[in-house]
Amino acid sequence: MGNGYLALTRRTGEELFLNIKDSNGSITEIRIDLNGIKGRQVRIGIDAPKTVEVVRGELLSEFESV
């Protein structure tokens, strides 16, 4: 999967962007917000086009079998 792995440190309220270019040169922008941290849980928000499927890791095997 992919050509590398990037680990980032973010603070509450900070965000990062993913710009994905397709074969036609069109760019899809995905924004990921760090909304909060409470104990061992991190709350994130993902702003992506409806054509982008966002799946939690623990559900990925179930999602791929559909």
Side-chain angles (χ1 to χ4, degrees), residues 8-66:
L8 299 171
T9 301
R10 302 274 74 200
R11 292 185 175 92
T12 300
E14 294 183 334
E15 58 194 10
L16 66 107
F17 292 85
L18 304 175
N19 291 316
I20 303 168
K21 188 184 293 188
D22 67 17
S23 59
N24 296 326
S26 297
I27 295 177
T28 299
E29 184 177 273
I30 300 171
R31 187 180 83 215
I32 302 173
D33 297 315
L34 178 54
N35 295 332
I37 302 170
K38 187 175 184 180
R40 295 181 59 203
Q41 292 185 327
V42 177
R43 187 168 178 88
I44 61 171
I46 302 169
D47 183 15
K50 291 182 180 187
T51 56
V52 175
E53 296 172 338
V54 178
V55 181
R56 296 188 333 240
E58 67 272 18
L59 300 177
L60 191 57
S61 61
E62 179 181 319
F63 178 78
E64 289 174 339
S65 65
V66 174

